[in-house]
Amino acid sequence: MPTIATIAALLEELAPARLAEDWDNVGLLVGNKNQTVKKTMTCLTVTPASAAEAIEAGAELIVTHHPIPFIATKRLTAESTAGRLLLELIAAGVAVYSAHTAFDSAGEGVNQRLAEGLGLRGIVPLTPHPEGQGAGRWGRLDVPITLEELAGRLKRFLGIERLQMVGRAEQQVRAVAVGCGAADELLGAARENGCQAMVLGEARFHTCLEAEANGIGLLLPGHFASERFAVERLAEVLGGRFPEVEVWASRSERDPLQWG
Ligand SMILES: [Zn+2]
């Protein structure tokens, strides 16, 4: 059976910590690296539901996209949601690893897979990192399609029925940018690269107005949907590399945002 250190080494290979943003908190955040692992759960976020699922299943390791703890933490008490979850996980002997923005930006990370899923070619980072790869991606479609057709493609790839859209449904798009999760700051780079459309997980109102003012069509599938698929792929990759470990993507986590 591999140890947490062995699995962490593969995760570091897939999503090198040097690609993470400065403000981020990535790597092994909780746990003993010498612990052996029989069960691992991947998830987008550690929530009461996903934490309970990992504990009930007897997982030794959670690989979560969003870090916990995320902010600098001086005390660990049950007064905060993060503290409560961490206390429960530690008591149950569950370690926590997060690659977050390193995984967003990695060569086979979330944004690369999203860009490939849309059928883009010549995919490159929107804001290249000095040590290779970088944040966001953009590329071109073989032939121009309408924004509405691109939306259909995105919905099929992510397995969702609805998304939010800024721009004219019939506008032609060929150069397309992607930024999973909350990545409003990448819109400027998409514009500079001449992209006619951009996929963001979510966007602030003023980012939507900025896109509209510049004729850039925006597709917003939701923060959850824009990243959750990658957590499922990651479970497959880990399971493939460590066949003796039972690896699954959390079956209990849900998008907290519902359509009313
Ligand atoms: Zn995210």
Side-chain angles (χ1 to χ4, degrees):
M1 289 292 169
T3 61
I4 287 175
T6 313
I7 296 176
L10 172 63
L11 290 164
E12 169 64 25
E13 197 182 299
L14 294 172
R18 64 176 188 279
L19 294 177
E21 301 294 333
D22 295 338
W23 46 261
D24 211 352
N25 190 31
V26 301
L28 183 63
L29 304 180
V30 175
N32 176 349
K33 64 181 169 50
N34 299 321
Q35 169 74 47
T36 55
V37 178
K38 293 189 193 118
K39 294 182 181 183
T40 297
M41 184 186 82
T42 69
C43 62
L44 187 60
T45 317
V46 174
T47 63
S50 62
E53 179 183 356
I55 292 168
E56 275 165 32
E60 294 89 359
L61 174 65
I62 293 178
V63 180
T64 176
H65 187 59
H66 296 134
I68 183 170
F70 180 41
I71 53 169
T73 302
K74 283 193 178 177
R75 63 185 74 205
L76 211 51
T77 70
E79 301 309 304
S80 70
T81 304
R84 209 155 52 237
L85 293 172
L86 286 167
L87 288 170
E88 285 171 13
L89 292 172
I90 291 165
V94 186
V96 178
Y97 186 103
S98 170
H100 200 210
T101 53
F103 189 43
D104 288 341
S105 300
E108 292 186 28
V110 189
N111 282 317
Q112 179 71 27
R113 288 183 184 274
L114 200 48
E116 288 168 2
L118 290 173
L120 299 177
R121 311 267 180 230
I123 300 166
V124 290
L126 271 174
T127 57
H129 189 279
E131 295 188 49
Q133 299 306 328
R137 291 291 187 275
W138 79 280
R140 288 195 176 82
L141 297 165
D142 284 337
V143 291
I145 59 175
T146 65
L147 184 61
E148 191 169 32
E149 284 167 336
L150 185 67
R153 217 179 258 201
L154 181 62
K155 285 191 275 190
R156 278 192 298 280
F157 177 69
L158 296 177
I160 55 173
E161 288 172 14
R162 290 195 261 197
L163 51 71
Q164 290 180 301
M165 190 163 101
V166 176
R168 290 176 301 111
E170 68 281 9
Q171 80 186 66
Q172 294 283 311
V173 299
R174 182 153 199 191
V176 179
V178 303
C180 65
D184 299 68
E185 73 282 359
L186 294 177
L187 179 65
R191 187 187 168 194
E192 282 160 24
N193 286 302
C195 294
Q196 296 99 21
M198 181 168 204
V199 175
L200 289 171
E202 58 175 314
R204 288 191 288 268
F205 179 64
H206 288 279
T207 303
C208 297
L209 291 174
E210 181 68 16
E212 187 178 50
N214 287 288
I216 298 173
L218 272 192
L219 300 177
L220 310 172
H223 193 131
F224 184 93
S226 76
E227 297 180 335
R228 165 70 199 190
F229 76 95
V231 161
E232 292 166 16
R233 300 283 173 81
L234 183 60
E236 290 166 14
V237 170
L238 290 176
R241 288 283 200 105
F242 300 107
E244 65 277 44
V245 179
E246 184 189 334
V247 188
W248 74 100
S250 168
R251 297 172 189 110
S252 63
E253 71 174 348
R254 298 277 180 273
D255 190 344
L257 287 173
Q258 303 291 318
W259 295 95

